[in-house]
Amino acid sequence: MNEAPHLTFDLDAPGVSRGHLVVPGGADHEEFSLAVFSLNKGEGPRLLITGGNHGNELEGPLVARRLIEWLPKAQTSGRIIVLPVLNPLAVQAWSRNTPLDGLNLNRVFPGRADGSVTERIADAVSRVLLPNADIVFDLHSFGPTWDFPPAVITHPIADADLMAKTLAMAAAFKLPVTLLWQHDDTAGMFDSWAHSLGKVFVCAEFGGGTVSAEALAIYEAGVRNALVTLGLVEGKVEDVSFRNKRSSQTLETLISNELKSPAQGIFEPRCSVLDEVRPGDLIGILHSMDSVSAPSIDIRAPGPSIVLAIGSGAHVDRNEGVAILARPLHN
Amino acid sequence: MNEAPHLTFDLDAPGVSRGHLVVPGGADHEEFSLAVFSLNKGEGPRLLITGGNHGNELEGPLVARRLIEWLPKAQTSGRIIVLPVLNPLAVQAWSRNTPLDGLNLNRVFPGRADGSVTERIADAVSRVLLPNADIVFDLHSFGPTWDFPPAVITHPIADADLMAKTLAMAAAFKLPVTLLWQHDDTAGMFDSWAHSLGKVFVCAEFGGGTVSAEALAIYEAGVRNALVTLGLVEGKVEDVSFRNKRSSQTLETLISNELKSPAQGIFEPRCSVLDEVRPGDLIGILHSMDSVSAPSIDIRAPGPSIVLAIGSGAHVDRNEGVAILARPLHN
């Protein structure tokens, strides 16, 4: 019989602890361990930082590793738990979902102790780590096929007080975009589950495309700003610059703000993230791959918007998303 | 019985032609067609421009589509054939190789009429298009998992006269990097085959990461510069700027200039493309995914170099390439 999920060290021990969160075995995979760092400086906020929820978003694991380097010298109060890689099976495969069971870890929370491997990871995190945190930063990105600005997002929360606290936490990163994202595919998300427990939970969406040294420096600065604002580390909040664009915008995007490809073909982006567009402005062009006689199809902005995400040039199917527009959030 | 590969139009017709290159069917796939554009303005250079050799390098197909838009008004002499997508099966799958037979189109030239589908594409191009061109631009990129500067490359050519002509053709793009690339995996490459026939053949390597509007503008400007230099279109050669880096460097890279990961883990890039590095400078860091106690491994520059390519942050296996260094070419 398998043990219950557990930590290999005592979270309440003072100072730095390094060990593992043990995820029990099941029918599809034997027991394995997730590397965990914890730093307990007594009274203060209790923060959990996770990365590698999706396996092709390595910005989070790398920023988490950087934090582990300097937190021991910088943290002055509270407790920070860092789990750089939530889903090593997906990271190893450079895959959004877990190859073994095909599940998206960010759609199976709070998980199941007797479920498949992805559900067992969610169960271990939900039962062992989440009760020990009041605030969670889950570090995502938009992945390799999108251009996206450094952003921190939250989905709408019914509890107005928690919504306000969560938006303020997101804004504390001082990244170019703080985003309220309305979409309909939120069942089983890590943040939805944590919000239901009353926790302040934000998702970093650390850009898209390649994970470069310059980009990592921006993301790390964002997390440092949030830690300073929480009083966990000393220092000053720094402005974060990104491609000379206007910074610290608070935006909102709705399900209807995603632009889809009108047909199968090759998508050509014709605008850039954070561009301000007017109705009719060109967002991208869809080219037929089968013919150089067929006219290309222009994809245009339906209304005044800010370009939040733009797809990389690639073959797309009909109804595949190619851009996401947003507008300033008016509280 | 299948027909031989053929064009659906007469290349010698004056002016613009739009049609297809028919690739015969075989045991693994039925007959299909590659969209082709041709513009015949009589006397002058005969140029073939191809894209989509690898299916996850969409920069080429998109630049090719842009050329087709403006060539009819701009071209003043010679003949240009544009084939935006060499391998639609790979493009549709966003895959380097053809999923159906697992083959890399750029390793099977000159192809086989009775081979698998990838070999039949190479055969059709080799037999129908290549004899009608003296110069070839094959438009590649470094793909989504690398940062790479806009470059035009050639491999070493035994014929010194052809080598000099080919390097001059590459430099005519005026992109940030002109590169002489020595490597040992060149059997069956499109350029090696064309060089063996005495043709001037260059490979564009149009950067890496996402295919953005800004990047496409740079690549298109590079091709336009080459067309102006060939006298095919009128206009002025323009300087192409890229991230405020020094432009028009001619570099050389050897097989031994690729840095490999010393172990399995998560690679963190710590430098940027076109950085000048000294011996011992930090190129990247390899982190263990299994432990936050195990020390990370620094990957350092073995000698004075220019960073030509740097891998995106991702999980890597032992001996997987993480960076490519180069040095100025001294003829």
Side-chain angles (χ1 to χ4, degrees):
Chain A
M1 172 152 177
N2 278 303
E3 297 178 280
H6 61 277
L7 283 168
T8 59
F9 61 94
D10 178 8
L11 272 183
D12 293 329
V16 171
S17 300
R18 298 169 197 266
H20 290 90
L21 171 64
V22 177
V23 179
D28 55 353
H29 197 285
E30 62 189 2
E31 175 185 292
F32 63 104
S33 294
L34 308 180
V36 178
F37 168 98
S38 171
L39 180 43
N40 184 0
K41 286 277 193 176
E43 288 300 305
R46 300 187 310 158
L47 173 66
L48 170 64
I49 300 177
T50 51
N53 187 326
H54 293 131
N56 58 356
E57 302 169 7
L58 274 287
E59 293 85 347
L62 290 170
V63 168
R65 293 303 298 236
R66 288 183 175 218
L67 295 179
I68 290 171
E69 292 296 315
W70 55 258
L71 275 179
K73 286 188 181 163
Q75 188 181 333
T76 53
S77 73
R79 186 165 68 197
I80 304 179
I81 304 169
V82 184
L83 197 167
V85 176
L86 278 166
N87 192 344
L89 305 175
V91 166
Q92 190 149 8
W94 205 56
S95 157
R96 180 173 176 82
N97 295 357
T98 316
L100 195 59
D101 57 15
L103 292 178
N104 179 341
L105 175 59
N106 209 26
R107 295 296 182 282
V108 300
F109 275 86
R112 291 194 302 147
D114 60 350
S116 69
V117 64
T118 309
E119 296 170 304
R120 296 200 303 279
I121 293 173
D123 176 69
V125 172
S126 300
R127 287 208 278 159
V128 179
L129 295 183
L130 208 48
N132 289 291
D134 309 307
I135 306 166
V136 184
F137 300 166
D138 193 28
L139 310 182
H140 288 254
S141 78
F142 237 60
T145 64
W146 289 89
D147 268 340
F148 195 81
V152 183
I153 73 161
T154 177
H155 302 110
I157 306 169
D159 177 335
D161 181 52
L162 186 61
M163 177 83 271
K165 280 184 191 166
T166 303
L167 269 175
M169 186 76 258
F173 285 68
K174 294 278 182 193
L175 286 178
V177 172
T178 299
L179 181 70
L180 179 62
W181 191 322
Q182 301 199 349
H183 71 71
D184 55 1
D185 179 26
T186 55
M189 290 185 83
F190 191 12
D191 63 342
S192 309
W193 176 246
H195 290 155
S196 76
L197 301 173
K199 296 181 191 295
V200 172
F201 186 119
V202 295
C203 281
E205 288 287 355
F206 284 151
T210 54
V211 184
S212 68
E214 300 94 325
L216 289 170
I218 290 174
Y219 310 147
E220 183 182 11
V223 177
R224 186 193 290 265
N225 283 340
L227 297 181
V228 169
T229 301
L230 284 169
L232 286 160
V233 308
E234 289 184 347
K236 282 198 296 188
V237 169
E238 289 171 20
D239 282 332
V240 180
S241 76
F242 168 71
R243 297 186 198 168
N244 301 316
K245 300 277 188 178
R246 186 180 152 196
S247 61
S248 294
Q249 299 186 70
T250 300
L251 305 177
E252 175 181 37
T253 188
L254 311 175
I255 300 163
S256 58
N257 294 141
E258 184 175 16
L259 300 185
K260 312 245 180 167
S261 178
Q264 191 183 66
I266 295 179
F267 175 68
E268 176 185 351
R270 278 286 180 137
C271 63
S272 303
V273 292
L274 300 187
D275 279 359
E276 294 183 27
V277 292
R278 291 163 305 175
D281 280 356
L282 193 59
I283 300 294
I285 301 176
L286 190 73
H287 300 283
S288 165
M289 184 161 60
D290 306 324
S291 165
V292 287
S293 307
S296 298
I297 303 171
D298 290 346
I299 300 169
R300 295 185 179 277
S305 321
I306 293 161
V307 177
L308 178 66
I310 181 82
S312 180
H315 185 270
V316 292
D317 286 322
R318 184 176 147 82
N319 278 331
E320 191 168 334
V322 293
I324 301 173
L325 304 180
R327 58 172 185 267
L329 176 66
H330 300 292
N331 287 306
Chain B
M1 173 155 176
N2 279 301
E3 297 177 280
H6 60 277
L7 283 168
T8 60
F9 61 95
D10 178 8
L11 273 182
D12 293 329
V16 171
S17 300
R18 297 169 197 266
H20 291 90
L21 172 63
V22 176
V23 179
D28 56 353
H29 196 286
E30 63 189 1
E31 176 186 292
F32 63 104
S33 295
L34 308 179
V36 178
F37 168 96
S38 171
L39 180 42
N40 184 1
K41 286 278 193 175
E43 288 299 305
R46 300 188 310 158
L47 173 66
L48 169 64
I49 300 177
T50 52
N53 188 327
H54 294 129
N56 58 356
E57 301 169 6
L58 274 286
E59 293 85 347
L62 289 170
V63 169
R65 292 303 298 236
R66 290 183 174 216
L67 295 179
I68 290 172
E69 292 296 315
W70 56 258
L71 275 178
K73 286 189 181 164
Q75 187 181 333
T76 54
S77 73
R79 186 164 68 196
I80 305 179
I81 303 170
V82 184
L83 197 167
V85 177
L86 278 167
N87 192 345
L89 305 175
V91 166
Q92 189 149 9
W94 205 56
S95 157
R96 180 172 175 83
N97 294 358
T98 315
L100 194 60
D101 57 14
L103 292 178
N104 179 341
L105 175 59
N106 209 26
R107 295 296 183 281
V108 300
F109 274 86
R112 291 195 302 148
D114 60 350
S116 68
V117 64
T118 309
E119 296 171 303
R120 296 199 303 279
I121 294 173
D123 177 69
V125 172
S126 300
R127 285 206 279 158
V128 179
L129 295 182
L130 208 48
N132 289 291
D134 309 307
I135 306 166
V136 184
F137 300 165
D138 193 27
L139 310 182
H140 289 253
S141 79
F142 237 60
T145 64
W146 290 88
D147 268 341
F148 195 82
V152 182
I153 74 161
T154 177
H155 302 110
I157 306 168
D159 176 335
D161 180 52
L162 187 60
M163 176 83 271
K165 281 185 190 165
T166 303
L167 269 176
M169 186 75 258
F173 284 68
K174 294 278 182 193
L175 286 177
V177 171
T178 299
L179 182 69
L180 180 62
W181 191 321
Q182 301 200 349
H183 72 72
D184 54 2
D185 178 28
T186 54
M189 290 185 83
F190 192 11
D191 64 340
S192 308
W193 176 246
H195 289 154
S196 76
L197 301 172
K199 297 181 192 294
V200 172
F201 186 119
V202 295
C203 281
E205 289 287 355
F206 284 151
T210 55
V211 184
S212 68
E214 300 93 324
L216 289 170
I218 290 174
Y219 311 147
E220 183 182 10
V223 177
R224 186 192 288 266
N225 283 340
L227 297 181
V228 169
T229 301
L230 284 170
L232 285 160
V233 307
E234 289 184 348
K236 282 198 296 188
V237 170
E238 290 171 19
D239 282 332
V240 180
S241 76
F242 167 71
R243 299 184 198 169
N244 300 318
K245 299 278 188 178
R246 186 180 151 195
S247 61
S248 295
Q249 299 187 69
T250 300
L251 304 177
E252 175 181 37
T253 190
L254 311 176
I255 299 163
S256 58
N257 294 140
E258 184 175 16
L259 301 185
K260 312 246 179 166
S261 178
Q264 192 183 65
I266 295 180
F267 175 68
E268 176 184 352
R270 280 284 181 141
C271 62
S272 303
V273 292
L274 299 188
D275 279 357
E276 293 182 28
V277 291
R278 291 163 304 177
D281 280 356
L282 193 58
I283 299 295
I285 301 176
L286 191 74
H287 300 283
S288 165
M289 184 162 61
D290 305 325
S291 165
V292 288
S293 308
S296 297
I297 304 171
D298 291 346
I299 300 169
R300 296 184 177 278
S305 321
I306 293 161
V307 177
L308 178 66
I310 180 83
S312 180
H315 185 270
V316 292
D317 286 322
R318 183 175 147 81
N319 278 331
E320 190 168 334
V322 293
I324 301 173
L325 304 179
R327 59 172 185 268
L329 176 67
H330 300 292
N331 286 305

